[in-house]
Amino acid sequence: MKITNIEVFELKIPFSTGVKNKVSSNFLKADALDFCLVKIETDTGIIGWGDAFAFHCRRAVAEAINTMIKPHLIGKNPLDVQQINFELQKKLHLFGRYGITIFAISAVDIALWDIVAKHSNLPLCNFLGSVGEKKLPAYASLWRYEDAEAVQDRCQYAKNLGYKYIKLHEVFTSEVKAARNILGDDIPIMVDTNCPWTKDEARQMLNSWEEYSLYWVEEPINPPEDFESLSNLRADTFIPIAAGENACTSFEFKKMFDAEAVDYAQPSVTKVGGITEFKKINHLADTYGVQVMPHSPYFGPGFLATLHLAQSMPNPGLLERFFIDFEAYLYPKEIFTPQDGFFKTPDTIGLGLDPDKDVIKDFAVKTL
């Protein structure tokens, strides 16, 4: 089997946050999300789909795939996916072990694993060693509203939908307090702060939040790779620490674990180097006794890959559902809609579904 073509699709799909102040001053600044999909074709007719992290960097990632990765892959055997991943990281290391280059490799890697599983006539989770019958607990990952009333409205709505865990993206106490007041003590609350504070500021904030019994606080320190400060903070607070969405490759996670910086590790399959690298990170986490909580605020092949990876993990943790509603979805909306608080994993071959061609056509971004 040989790779005959690689095609990149850039999309921008509008969404709603469900509240009027849908674009806050400090969070994403968007009313449409970027997608960078990859389609890999083979001489046997098997096609694989992947996607890269692309929020506000879609063009750069697409160019990296087309100009830096595609020339290396045409003619290669896609079943040699782990060797391909190794060679791409080796050849492209000069261009960075973080960010755009690794995002691009991630997309290709996901598509190759889709091909491997389809070639084996198995769902990806079966190929990875799981029967695929685990109930995967979901959590609602709310937008940043910077408004206590909006936080309460969305928390109540998520609870009514059956979510048993809810994550905020807030940095002020008023919103955290509002969430706890509306949810009571029965619903665990997490807070993703997105790296806003120095270590001293983070210590002061987390000390003031201890009364809200948070399940975890996520990435409270800037820069996110300051694992020493994160470890010191973890030692000084009763609130568990989560991090990892900004880390790329297993080497960064090893540094994180060596520093004893986190209670929960959050690798993102569209950022870390794809399925190949995610598996390495999960093995490392098992060795260090750290629980993995996959970072997955995505709506393309990366989300499906996360479901299959979670199925292959003995203890899959909680899975993230970004709490926004799109004008159109690449897959049936039911895929992203947990039932009674749990996700279901597709049980057909490969990732389970190919993206909707009409949605790709309708929301394609014109590029020069």
Side-chain angles (χ1 to χ4, degrees):
M1 185 186 295
K2 292 183 179 180
I3 296 171
T4 56
N5 190 41
I6 298 175
E7 192 171 1
V8 179
F9 300 89
E10 297 181 55
L11 314 179
K12 204 171 186 70
I13 304 181
F15 66 88
S16 169
T17 64
V19 298
K20 291 182 179 179
N21 59 331
K22 63 181 180 178
V23 179
S24 74
S25 59
N26 297 310
F27 190 67
L28 287 182
K29 297 182 179 179
D31 55 10
L33 282 192
D34 295 302
F35 292 74
C36 183
L37 304 183
V38 174
K39 177 184 178 184
I40 298 182
E41 300 175 65
T42 68
D43 59 355
T44 65
I46 296 177
I47 292 172
W49 288 89
D51 70 325
F53 180 82
F55 299 171
H56 294 301
C57 60
R58 185 199 67 247
R59 271 279 57 226
V61 176
E63 284 301 310
I65 296 169
N66 278 323
T67 62
M68 295 165 60
I69 293 178
K70 181 177 178 178
H72 291 298
L73 294 193
I74 300 300
K76 291 286 182 67
N77 187 333
L79 304 183
D80 206 14
V81 54
Q82 295 183 100
Q83 185 65 31
I84 288 173
N85 188 295
F86 172 81
E87 290 178 359
L88 286 175
Q89 290 198 42
K90 183 177 180 181
K91 289 177 180 177
L92 301 178
H93 75 274
L94 176 64
F95 308 108
R97 300 280 295 161
Y98 268 99
I100 303 301
T101 305
I102 301 297
F103 300 169
I105 291 174
S106 299
V108 168
D109 187 83
I110 292 168
L112 292 176
W113 278 99
D114 189 25
I115 289 171
V116 169
K118 286 175 176 174
H119 174 74
S120 301
N121 203 37
L122 291 171
L124 179 59
C125 63
N126 290 174
F127 187 84
L128 294 174
S130 168
V131 295
E133 296 177 351
K134 290 189 182 76
K135 296 178 70 175
L136 302 176
Y139 69 85
S141 183
L142 308 189
W143 194 256
R144 180 176 294 176
Y145 310 110
E146 298 181 2
D147 181 279
E149 290 185 5
V151 167
Q152 288 196 324
D153 175 78
R154 294 292 88 187
C155 282
Q156 186 62 58
Y157 182 52
K159 183 178 179 180
N160 292 345
L161 290 177
Y163 285 96
K164 297 174 176 60
Y165 302 83
I166 294 174
K167 185 169 82 175
L168 313 179
H169 284 85
E170 305 292 343
V171 292
F172 301 116
T173 300
S174 55
E175 283 74 29
V176 177
K177 180 179 179 180
R180 180 52 74 204
N181 286 343
I182 195 69
L183 293 173
D185 296 328
D186 297 334
I187 301 291
I189 297 173
M190 301 83 86
V191 184
D192 185 354
T193 60
N194 297 108
C195 313
W197 300 312
T198 66
K199 60 182 179 181
D200 291 331
E201 291 169 339
R203 183 179 295 107
Q204 292 172 21
M205 290 302 300
L206 268 63
N207 286 343
S208 71
W209 284 0
E210 286 183 357
E211 65 180 288
Y212 302 114
S213 302
L214 300 177
Y215 200 81
W216 75 60
V217 168
E218 189 171 329
E219 299 209 313
I221 288 177
N222 185 67
E225 69 271 22
D226 184 358
F227 300 136
E228 180 180 356
S229 292
L230 203 59
S231 178
N232 291 337
L233 175 65
R234 180 173 173 247
D236 289 341
T237 181
F238 291 108
I239 302 174
I241 300 296
E245 69 171 270
N246 286 300
C248 293
T249 79
S250 58
F251 291 94
E252 284 301 303
F253 281 87
K254 186 178 186 303
K255 294 175 186 176
M256 184 190 300
F257 299 157
D258 282 338
E260 298 183 346
V262 296
D263 298 279
Y264 301 115
Q266 299 175 296
S268 175
V269 72
T270 64
K271 285 183 171 182
V272 297
I275 292 168
T276 298
E277 204 68 23
F278 190 106
K279 289 170 59 192
K280 295 178 187 177
I281 293 162
N282 186 52
H283 290 317
L284 268 177
D286 281 345
T287 301
Y288 280 84
V290 177
Q291 173 63 52
V292 169
M293 300 285 190
H295 180 255
S296 59
Y298 309 125
F299 297 87
F303 183 79
L304 299 185
T306 302
L307 294 179
H308 286 280
L309 282 163
Q311 284 289 350
S312 73
M313 297 161 58
N315 184 9
L318 309 177
L319 270 67
E320 182 173 17
R321 202 292 193 185
F322 209 9
F323 208 58
I324 56 179
D325 193 21
F326 282 96
E327 189 173 314
Y329 288 83
L330 287 167
Y331 307 111
K333 190 176 179 181
E334 291 74 24
I335 292 293
F336 309 102
T337 306
Q339 298 299 315
D340 297 321
F342 296 92
F343 287 118
K344 183 179 179 181
T345 306
D347 59 4
T348 49
I349 65 172
L351 290 174
L353 295 164
D354 288 344
D356 189 313
K357 294 179 181 178
D358 290 332
V359 173
I360 291 175
K361 178 181 177 182
D362 293 343
F363 294 92
V365 176
K366 293 182 179 179
T367 58
L368 297 178

